[in-house]
Amino acid sequence: MKTQSKEILNRNFYNKNTLEVAKALLGMILVREINGKEIRARITETEAYMGEDDLASHASRGRTPRTELMFGEAGHAYIYLVYGMYHCLNIVTEKKNFPAAVLIRAASIEGMEYKKTNGPGKLCKVLKIDKSLNGIDVTGGEKLWIEKSGRVSSDKIRSSARIGVAYAKHSASNPWRFTVDE
DNA sequence: CCACGGATCAGCT
DNA sequence: GCTGATCCGTGGA
């Protein structure tokens, strides 16, 4: 159930350069609705996966059944299973046919700030995000969406190499991970 | 069909 | 910071 006063990020927000979206998502509120109850979490860490020549991206192998979503319309959730046991939540960005997405790596749950979910696998576990939500439109305000909140100023944003992609050759050192410096 | 490797995590150093 | 456990599902055939 969304409240009128809240502003849900629309497709325009996601239909932009992935690095810009990854940075702009910091500080925004990720909302998961389960049976009418909302779990809200402030996004604190993101990573950009952009283009077919990004060797760390699943899209680097081109269009496959799995990566088709990344080539699709911005503003949809791309959820997959890593290491056979953890789910990762991504939001598709940029125009159709350009494969890109932002991985939501960490967020702090409102009302329990001390309990930061400091990894994409744990975040999905806490928010009960799994493949049943794969492909849903996050601009629709159902089950999963992101609300506008105070944007983190650029001098508070730190960039660094992405986690777990050492195998990605020339893409491994791209500073496409963004964290809030607090 | 089925071999292979990974967008992780906990736990230890 | 580093290592190893863990096991699903992708994609190449």
PDB file of all heavy atoms in Angstrom, chain B residues 2-13:
ATOM      1  P    DC B   2      23.817 -36.630 -18.596  1.00  0.00           P
ATOM      2  OP1  DC B   2      24.657 -37.679 -19.214  1.00  0.00           O
ATOM      3  OP2  DC B   2      22.918 -36.940 -17.470  1.00  0.00           O
ATOM      4  O5'  DC B   2      24.765 -35.413 -18.160  1.00  0.00           O
ATOM      5  C5'  DC B   2      25.843 -35.020 -19.005  1.00  0.00           C
ATOM      6  C4'  DC B   2      26.565 -33.830 -18.387  1.00  0.00           C
ATOM      7  O4'  DC B   2      25.815 -32.616 -18.610  1.00  0.00           O
ATOM      8  C3'  DC B   2      26.747 -33.934 -16.877  1.00  0.00           C
ATOM      9  O3'  DC B   2      27.979 -33.315 -16.565  1.00  0.00           O
ATOM     10  C2'  DC B   2      25.593 -33.095 -16.342  1.00  0.00           C
ATOM     11  C1'  DC B   2      25.630 -31.958 -17.365  1.00  0.00           C
ATOM     12  N1   DC B   2      24.402 -31.145 -17.480  1.00  0.00           N
ATOM     13  C2   DC B   2      24.492 -29.882 -18.080  1.00  0.00           C
ATOM     14  O2   DC B   2      25.589 -29.501 -18.497  1.00  0.00           O
ATOM     15  N3   DC B   2      23.377 -29.128 -18.195  1.00  0.00           N
ATOM     16  C4   DC B   2      22.209 -29.586 -17.735  1.00  0.00           C
ATOM     17  N4   DC B   2      21.149 -28.818 -17.876  1.00  0.00           N
ATOM     18  C5   DC B   2      22.092 -30.864 -17.121  1.00  0.00           C
ATOM     19  C6   DC B   2      23.201 -31.611 -17.008  1.00  0.00           C
ATOM     20  P    DA B   3      29.167 -34.300 -15.947  1.00  0.00           P
ATOM     21  OP1  DA B   3      29.349 -35.511 -16.767  1.00  0.00           O
ATOM     22  OP2  DA B   3      28.902 -34.410 -14.505  1.00  0.00           O
ATOM     23  O5'  DA B   3      30.415 -33.360 -16.204  1.00  0.00           O
ATOM     24  C5'  DA B   3      30.708 -32.945 -17.541  1.00  0.00           C
ATOM     25  C4'  DA B   3      31.192 -31.503 -17.542  1.00  0.00           C
ATOM     26  O4'  DA B   3      30.076 -30.591 -17.409  1.00  0.00           O
ATOM     27  C3'  DA B   3      32.159 -31.194 -16.402  1.00  0.00           C
ATOM     28  O3'  DA B   3      33.177 -30.361 -16.932  1.00  0.00           O
ATOM     29  C2'  DA B   3      31.273 -30.466 -15.383  1.00  0.00           C
ATOM     30  C1'  DA B   3      30.261 -29.755 -16.271  1.00  0.00           C
ATOM     31  N9   DA B   3      28.919 -29.593 -15.695  1.00  0.00           N
ATOM     32  C8   DA B   3      28.254 -30.461 -14.865  1.00  0.00           C
ATOM     33  N7   DA B   3      27.044 -30.066 -14.554  1.00  0.00           N
ATOM     34  C5   DA B   3      26.894 -28.880 -15.226  1.00  0.00           C
ATOM     35  C6   DA B   3      25.821 -27.979 -15.306  1.00  0.00           C
ATOM     36  N6   DA B   3      24.646 -28.148 -14.702  1.00  0.00           N
ATOM     37  N1   DA B   3      25.985 -26.866 -16.053  1.00  0.00           N
ATOM     38  C2   DA B   3      27.155 -26.693 -16.681  1.00  0.00           C
ATOM     39  N3   DA B   3      28.233 -27.472 -16.693  1.00  0.00           N
ATOM     40  C4   DA B   3      28.036 -28.562 -15.928  1.00  0.00           C
ATOM     41  P    DC B   4      34.418 -29.869 -16.079  1.00  0.00           P
ATOM     42  OP1  DC B   4      35.616 -29.829 -16.936  1.00  0.00           O
ATOM     43  OP2  DC B   4      34.426 -30.625 -14.810  1.00  0.00           O
ATOM     44  O5'  DC B   4      33.970 -28.368 -15.801  1.00  0.00           O
ATOM     45  C5'  DC B   4      33.511 -27.557 -16.881  1.00  0.00           C
ATOM     46  C4'  DC B   4      33.080 -26.215 -16.346  1.00  0.00           C
ATOM     47  O4'  DC B   4      31.760 -26.300 -15.769  1.00  0.00           O
ATOM     48  C3'  DC B   4      33.989 -25.659 -15.255  1.00  0.00           C
ATOM     49  O3'  DC B   4      34.219 -24.305 -15.543  1.00  0.00           O
ATOM     50  C2'  DC B   4      33.176 -25.829 -13.977  1.00  0.00           C
ATOM     51  C1'  DC B   4      31.755 -25.684 -14.485  1.00  0.00           C
ATOM     52  N1   DC B   4      30.705 -26.369 -13.682  1.00  0.00           N
ATOM     53  C2   DC B   4      29.421 -25.821 -13.632  1.00  0.00           C
ATOM     54  O2   DC B   4      29.189 -24.781 -14.243  1.00  0.00           O
ATOM     55  N3   DC B   4      28.470 -26.457 -12.915  1.00  0.00           N
ATOM     56  C4   DC B   4      28.747 -27.589 -12.266  1.00  0.00           C
ATOM     57  N4   DC B   4      27.771 -28.169 -11.588  1.00  0.00           N
ATOM     58  C5   DC B   4      30.056 -28.147 -12.296  1.00  0.00           C
ATOM     59  C6   DC B   4      30.996 -27.514 -13.006  1.00  0.00           C
ATOM     60  P    DG B   5      35.586 -23.588 -15.005  1.00  0.00           P
ATOM     61  OP1  DG B   5      36.384 -23.192 -16.190  1.00  0.00           O
ATOM     62  OP2  DG B   5      36.175 -24.399 -13.925  1.00  0.00           O
ATOM     63  O5'  DG B   5      34.963 -22.272 -14.387  1.00  0.00           O
ATOM     64  C5'  DG B   5      33.949 -21.576 -15.113  1.00  0.00           C
ATOM     65  C4'  DG B   5      33.068 -20.828 -14.152  1.00  0.00           C
ATOM     66  O4'  DG B   5      32.142 -21.726 -13.497  1.00  0.00           O
ATOM     67  C3'  DG B   5      33.824 -20.134 -13.015  1.00  0.00           C
ATOM     68  O3'  DG B   5      33.187 -18.913 -12.741  1.00  0.00           O
ATOM     69  C2'  DG B   5      33.627 -21.077 -11.844  1.00  0.00           C
ATOM     70  C1'  DG B   5      32.191 -21.495 -12.105  1.00  0.00           C
ATOM     71  N9   DG B   5      31.751 -22.698 -11.423  1.00  0.00           N
ATOM     72  C8   DG B   5      32.526 -23.751 -11.010  1.00  0.00           C
ATOM     73  N7   DG B   5      31.843 -24.701 -10.422  1.00  0.00           N
ATOM     74  C5   DG B   5      30.532 -24.242 -10.448  1.00  0.00           C
ATOM     75  C6   DG B   5      29.345 -24.834  -9.955  1.00  0.00           C
ATOM     76  O6   DG B   5      29.216 -25.915  -9.390  1.00  0.00           O
ATOM     77  N1   DG B   5      28.238 -24.026 -10.186  1.00  0.00           N
ATOM     78  C2   DG B   5      28.272 -22.805 -10.797  1.00  0.00           C
ATOM     79  N2   DG B   5      27.108 -22.173 -10.926  1.00  0.00           N
ATOM     80  N3   DG B   5      29.374 -22.247 -11.266  1.00  0.00           N
ATOM     81  C4   DG B   5      30.464 -23.011 -11.054  1.00  0.00           C
ATOM     82  P    DG B   6      34.045 -17.529 -12.514  1.00  0.00           P
ATOM     83  OP1  DG B   6      34.466 -16.910 -13.783  1.00  0.00           O
ATOM     84  OP2  DG B   6      35.041 -17.781 -11.465  1.00  0.00           O
ATOM     85  O5'  DG B   6      32.878 -16.629 -11.939  1.00  0.00           O
ATOM     86  C5'  DG B   6      31.638 -16.534 -12.637  1.00  0.00           C
ATOM     87  C4'  DG B   6      30.524 -16.547 -11.624  1.00  0.00           C
ATOM     88  O4'  DG B   6      30.410 -17.854 -11.031  1.00  0.00           O
ATOM     89  C3'  DG B   6      30.734 -15.591 -10.454  1.00  0.00           C
ATOM     90  O3'  DG B   6      29.494 -14.999 -10.123  1.00  0.00           O
ATOM     91  C2'  DG B   6      31.182 -16.480  -9.314  1.00  0.00           C
ATOM     92  C1'  DG B   6      30.400 -17.733  -9.614  1.00  0.00           C
ATOM     93  N9   DG B   6      30.977 -18.963  -9.078  1.00  0.00           N
ATOM     94  C8   DG B   6      32.295 -19.316  -9.046  1.00  0.00           C
ATOM     95  N7   DG B   6      32.503 -20.497  -8.520  1.00  0.00           N
ATOM     96  C5   DG B   6      31.235 -20.946  -8.198  1.00  0.00           C
ATOM     97  C6   DG B   6      30.821 -22.150  -7.608  1.00  0.00           C
ATOM     98  O6   DG B   6      31.508 -23.108  -7.236  1.00  0.00           O
ATOM     99  N1   DG B   6      29.437 -22.209  -7.451  1.00  0.00           N
ATOM    100  C2   DG B   6      28.575 -21.219  -7.825  1.00  0.00           C
ATOM    101  N2   DG B   6      27.266 -21.440  -7.604  1.00  0.00           N
ATOM    102  N3   DG B   6      28.946 -20.081  -8.381  1.00  0.00           N
ATOM    103  C4   DG B   6      30.289 -20.010  -8.536  1.00  0.00           C
ATOM    104  P    DA B   7      29.082 -13.637 -10.918  1.00  0.00           P
ATOM    105  OP1  DA B   7      27.717 -13.761 -11.428  1.00  0.00           O
ATOM    106  OP2  DA B   7      30.173 -13.288 -11.860  1.00  0.00           O
ATOM    107  O5'  DA B   7      28.999 -12.579  -9.757  1.00  0.00           O
ATOM    108  C5'  DA B   7      30.142 -11.976  -9.195  1.00  0.00           C
ATOM    109  C4'  DA B   7      29.717 -10.843  -8.286  1.00  0.00           C
ATOM    110  O4'  DA B   7      29.252  -9.768  -9.122  1.00  0.00           O
ATOM    111  C3'  DA B   7      28.562 -11.172  -7.355  1.00  0.00           C
ATOM    112  O3'  DA B   7      28.602 -10.304  -6.216  1.00  0.00           O
ATOM    113  C2'  DA B   7      27.344 -10.830  -8.198  1.00  0.00           C
ATOM    114  C1'  DA B   7      27.855  -9.586  -8.939  1.00  0.00           C
ATOM    115  N9   DA B   7      27.280  -9.445 -10.262  1.00  0.00           N
ATOM    116  C8   DA B   7      27.634 -10.117 -11.393  1.00  0.00           C
ATOM    117  N7   DA B   7      26.957  -9.759 -12.445  1.00  0.00           N
ATOM    118  C5   DA B   7      26.090  -8.777 -11.978  1.00  0.00           C
ATOM    119  C6   DA B   7      25.108  -8.007 -12.591  1.00  0.00           C
ATOM    120  N6   DA B   7      24.824  -8.097 -13.881  1.00  0.00           N
ATOM    121  N1   DA B   7      24.427  -7.131 -11.831  1.00  0.00           N
ATOM    122  C2   DA B   7      24.716  -7.056 -10.541  1.00  0.00           C
ATOM    123  N3   DA B   7      25.614  -7.720  -9.834  1.00  0.00           N
ATOM    124  C4   DA B   7      26.282  -8.570 -10.625  1.00  0.00           C
ATOM    125  P    DT B   8      29.382 -10.938  -4.868  1.00  0.00           P
ATOM    126  OP1  DT B   8      29.157  -9.920  -3.854  1.00  0.00           O
ATOM    127  OP2  DT B   8      30.730 -11.337  -5.311  1.00  0.00           O
ATOM    128  O5'  DT B   8      28.594 -12.258  -4.438  1.00  0.00           O
ATOM    129  C5'  DT B   8      27.248 -12.185  -3.981  1.00  0.00           C
ATOM    130  C4'  DT B   8      27.100 -12.921  -2.657  1.00  0.00           C
ATOM    131  O4'  DT B   8      27.893 -14.122  -2.695  1.00  0.00           O
ATOM    132  C3'  DT B   8      27.582 -12.126  -1.442  1.00  0.00           C
ATOM    133  O3'  DT B   8      26.552 -12.114  -0.476  1.00  0.00           O
ATOM    134  C2'  DT B   8      28.802 -12.876  -0.955  1.00  0.00           C
ATOM    135  C1'  DT B   8      28.575 -14.286  -1.461  1.00  0.00           C
ATOM    136  N1   DT B   8      29.819 -15.034  -1.737  1.00  0.00           N
ATOM    137  C2   DT B   8      30.015 -16.244  -1.116  1.00  0.00           C
ATOM    138  O2   DT B   8      29.205 -16.747  -0.361  1.00  0.00           O
ATOM    139  N3   DT B   8      31.193 -16.861  -1.418  1.00  0.00           N
ATOM    140  C4   DT B   8      32.179 -16.400  -2.266  1.00  0.00           C
ATOM    141  O4   DT B   8      33.189 -17.046  -2.452  1.00  0.00           O
ATOM    142  C5   DT B   8      31.915 -15.130  -2.884  1.00  0.00           C
ATOM    143  C7   DT B   8      32.913 -14.539  -3.814  1.00  0.00           C
ATOM    144  C6   DT B   8      30.771 -14.517  -2.594  1.00  0.00           C
ATOM    145  P    DC B   9      26.697 -11.266   0.868  1.00  0.00           P
ATOM    146  OP1  DC B   9      25.352 -10.802   1.234  1.00  0.00           O
ATOM    147  OP2  DC B   9      27.792 -10.303   0.704  1.00  0.00           O
ATOM    148  O5'  DC B   9      27.137 -12.356   1.938  1.00  0.00           O
ATOM    149  C5'  DC B   9      26.436 -13.601   1.965  1.00  0.00           C
ATOM    150  C4'  DC B   9      27.011 -14.500   3.028  1.00  0.00           C
ATOM    151  O4'  DC B   9      28.192 -15.166   2.524  1.00  0.00           O
ATOM    152  C3'  DC B   9      27.417 -13.792   4.308  1.00  0.00           C
ATOM    153  O3'  DC B   9      26.931 -14.532   5.409  1.00  0.00           O
ATOM    154  C2'  DC B   9      28.935 -13.770   4.258  1.00  0.00           C
ATOM    155  C1'  DC B   9      29.267 -14.999   3.418  1.00  0.00           C
ATOM    156  N1   DC B   9      30.485 -14.859   2.580  1.00  0.00           N
ATOM    157  C2   DC B   9      31.326 -15.964   2.418  1.00  0.00           C
ATOM    158  O2   DC B   9      31.051 -17.027   2.979  1.00  0.00           O
ATOM    159  N3   DC B   9      32.422 -15.835   1.642  1.00  0.00           N
ATOM    160  C4   DC B   9      32.689 -14.668   1.043  1.00  0.00           C
ATOM    161  N4   DC B   9      33.781 -14.592   0.290  1.00  0.00           N
ATOM    162  C5   DC B   9      31.845 -13.533   1.208  1.00  0.00           C
ATOM    163  C6   DC B   9      30.750 -13.673   1.975  1.00  0.00           C
ATOM    164  P    DA B  10      26.873 -13.913   6.897  1.00  0.00           P
ATOM    165  OP1  DA B  10      25.467 -14.038   7.304  1.00  0.00           O
ATOM    166  OP2  DA B  10      27.561 -12.627   6.936  1.00  0.00           O
ATOM    167  O5'  DA B  10      27.755 -14.952   7.728  1.00  0.00           O
ATOM    168  C5'  DA B  10      27.657 -16.324   7.440  1.00  0.00           C
ATOM    169  C4'  DA B  10      28.846 -17.053   8.023  1.00  0.00           C
ATOM    170  O4'  DA B  10      30.014 -16.904   7.184  1.00  0.00           O
ATOM    171  C3'  DA B  10      29.254 -16.589   9.415  1.00  0.00           C
ATOM    172  O3'  DA B  10      29.559 -17.768  10.141  1.00  0.00           O
ATOM    173  C2'  DA B  10      30.460 -15.694   9.150  1.00  0.00           C
ATOM    174  C1'  DA B  10      31.093 -16.354   7.931  1.00  0.00           C
ATOM    175  N9   DA B  10      31.782 -15.455   6.999  1.00  0.00           N
ATOM    176  C8   DA B  10      31.515 -14.145   6.711  1.00  0.00           C
ATOM    177  N7   DA B  10      32.307 -13.620   5.798  1.00  0.00           N
ATOM    178  C5   DA B  10      33.147 -14.676   5.457  1.00  0.00           C
ATOM    179  C6   DA B  10      34.207 -14.790   4.545  1.00  0.00           C
ATOM    180  N6   DA B  10      34.616 -13.791   3.762  1.00  0.00           N
ATOM    181  N1   DA B  10      34.836 -15.975   4.457  1.00  0.00           N
ATOM    182  C2   DA B  10      34.429 -16.986   5.230  1.00  0.00           C
ATOM    183  N3   DA B  10      33.441 -17.014   6.117  1.00  0.00           N
ATOM    184  C4   DA B  10      32.832 -15.808   6.191  1.00  0.00           C
ATOM    185  P    DG B  11      29.924 -17.728  11.723  1.00  0.00           P
ATOM    186  OP1  DG B  11      29.235 -18.883  12.330  1.00  0.00           O
ATOM    187  OP2  DG B  11      29.736 -16.364  12.266  1.00  0.00           O
ATOM    188  O5'  DG B  11      31.476 -18.040  11.668  1.00  0.00           O
ATOM    189  C5'  DG B  11      31.974 -19.094  10.832  1.00  0.00           C
ATOM    190  C4'  DG B  11      33.478 -18.991  10.805  1.00  0.00           C
ATOM    191  O4'  DG B  11      33.884 -18.045   9.783  1.00  0.00           O
ATOM    192  C3'  DG B  11      34.048 -18.463  12.120  1.00  0.00           C
ATOM    193  O3'  DG B  11      35.272 -19.131  12.380  1.00  0.00           O
ATOM    194  C2'  DG B  11      34.285 -16.993  11.804  1.00  0.00           C
ATOM    195  C1'  DG B  11      34.766 -17.099  10.367  1.00  0.00           C
ATOM    196  N9   DG B  11      34.751 -15.854   9.618  1.00  0.00           N
ATOM    197  C8   DG B  11      33.929 -14.761   9.800  1.00  0.00           C
ATOM    198  N7   DG B  11      34.192 -13.782   8.967  1.00  0.00           N
ATOM    199  C5   DG B  11      35.240 -14.260   8.195  1.00  0.00           C
ATOM    200  C6   DG B  11      35.953 -13.637   7.135  1.00  0.00           C
ATOM    201  O6   DG B  11      35.800 -12.519   6.645  1.00  0.00           O
ATOM    202  N1   DG B  11      36.949 -14.469   6.638  1.00  0.00           N
ATOM    203  C2   DG B  11      37.217 -15.728   7.101  1.00  0.00           C
ATOM    204  N2   DG B  11      38.211 -16.369   6.508  1.00  0.00           N
ATOM    205  N3   DG B  11      36.561 -16.320   8.086  1.00  0.00           N
ATOM    206  C4   DG B  11      35.590 -15.534   8.588  1.00  0.00           C
ATOM    207  P    DC B  12      35.867 -19.197  13.898  1.00  0.00           P
ATOM    208  OP1  DC B  12      35.426 -20.476  14.470  1.00  0.00           O
ATOM    209  OP2  DC B  12      35.622 -17.932  14.625  1.00  0.00           O
ATOM    210  O5'  DC B  12      37.421 -19.283  13.591  1.00  0.00           O
ATOM    211  C5'  DC B  12      37.868 -19.942  12.399  1.00  0.00           C
ATOM    212  C4'  DC B  12      38.999 -19.148  11.779  1.00  0.00           C
ATOM    213  O4'  DC B  12      38.487 -17.993  11.093  1.00  0.00           O
ATOM    214  C3'  DC B  12      39.996 -18.632  12.827  1.00  0.00           C
ATOM    215  O3'  DC B  12      41.287 -19.037  12.454  1.00  0.00           O
ATOM    216  C2'  DC B  12      39.828 -17.116  12.756  1.00  0.00           C
ATOM    217  C1'  DC B  12      39.392 -16.931  11.307  1.00  0.00           C
ATOM    218  N1   DC B  12      38.720 -15.641  11.052  1.00  0.00           N
ATOM    219  C2   DC B  12      39.120 -14.889   9.938  1.00  0.00           C
ATOM    220  O2   DC B  12      40.002 -15.339   9.198  1.00  0.00           O
ATOM    221  N3   DC B  12      38.526 -13.689   9.706  1.00  0.00           N
ATOM    222  C4   DC B  12      37.568 -13.237  10.536  1.00  0.00           C
ATOM    223  N4   DC B  12      37.021 -12.066  10.260  1.00  0.00           N
ATOM    224  C5   DC B  12      37.143 -13.989  11.664  1.00  0.00           C
ATOM    225  C6   DC B  12      37.736 -15.173  11.880  1.00  0.00           C
ATOM    226  P    DT B  13      42.526 -18.955  13.608  1.00  0.00           P
ATOM    227  OP1  DT B  13      43.087 -20.319  13.709  1.00  0.00           O
ATOM    228  OP2  DT B  13      42.086 -18.258  14.832  1.00  0.00           O
ATOM    229  O5'  DT B  13      43.550 -18.037  12.792  1.00  0.00           O
ATOM    230  C5'  DT B  13      43.493 -17.987  11.362  1.00  0.00           C
ATOM    231  C4'  DT B  13      44.316 -16.810  10.859  1.00  0.00           C
ATOM    232  O4'  DT B  13      43.449 -15.694  10.567  1.00  0.00           O
ATOM    233  C3'  DT B  13      45.368 -16.317  11.830  1.00  0.00           C
ATOM    234  O3'  DT B  13      46.579 -16.064  11.144  1.00  0.00           O
ATOM    235  C2'  DT B  13      44.805 -15.009  12.355  1.00  0.00           C
ATOM    236  C1'  DT B  13      44.005 -14.517  11.145  1.00  0.00           C
ATOM    237  N1   DT B  13      42.892 -13.592  11.487  1.00  0.00           N
ATOM    238  C2   DT B  13      42.779 -12.414  10.759  1.00  0.00           C
ATOM    239  O2   DT B  13      43.537 -12.117   9.866  1.00  0.00           O
ATOM    240  N3   DT B  13      41.745 -11.615  11.151  1.00  0.00           N
ATOM    241  C4   DT B  13      40.826 -11.853  12.151  1.00  0.00           C
ATOM    242  O4   DT B  13      39.945 -11.048  12.395  1.00  0.00           O
ATOM    243  C5   DT B  13      41.004 -13.099  12.860  1.00  0.00           C
ATOM    244  C7   DT B  13      40.081 -13.461  13.981  1.00  0.00           C
ATOM    245  C6   DT B  13      42.021 -13.892  12.494  1.00  0.00           C
TER     246       DT B  13
END
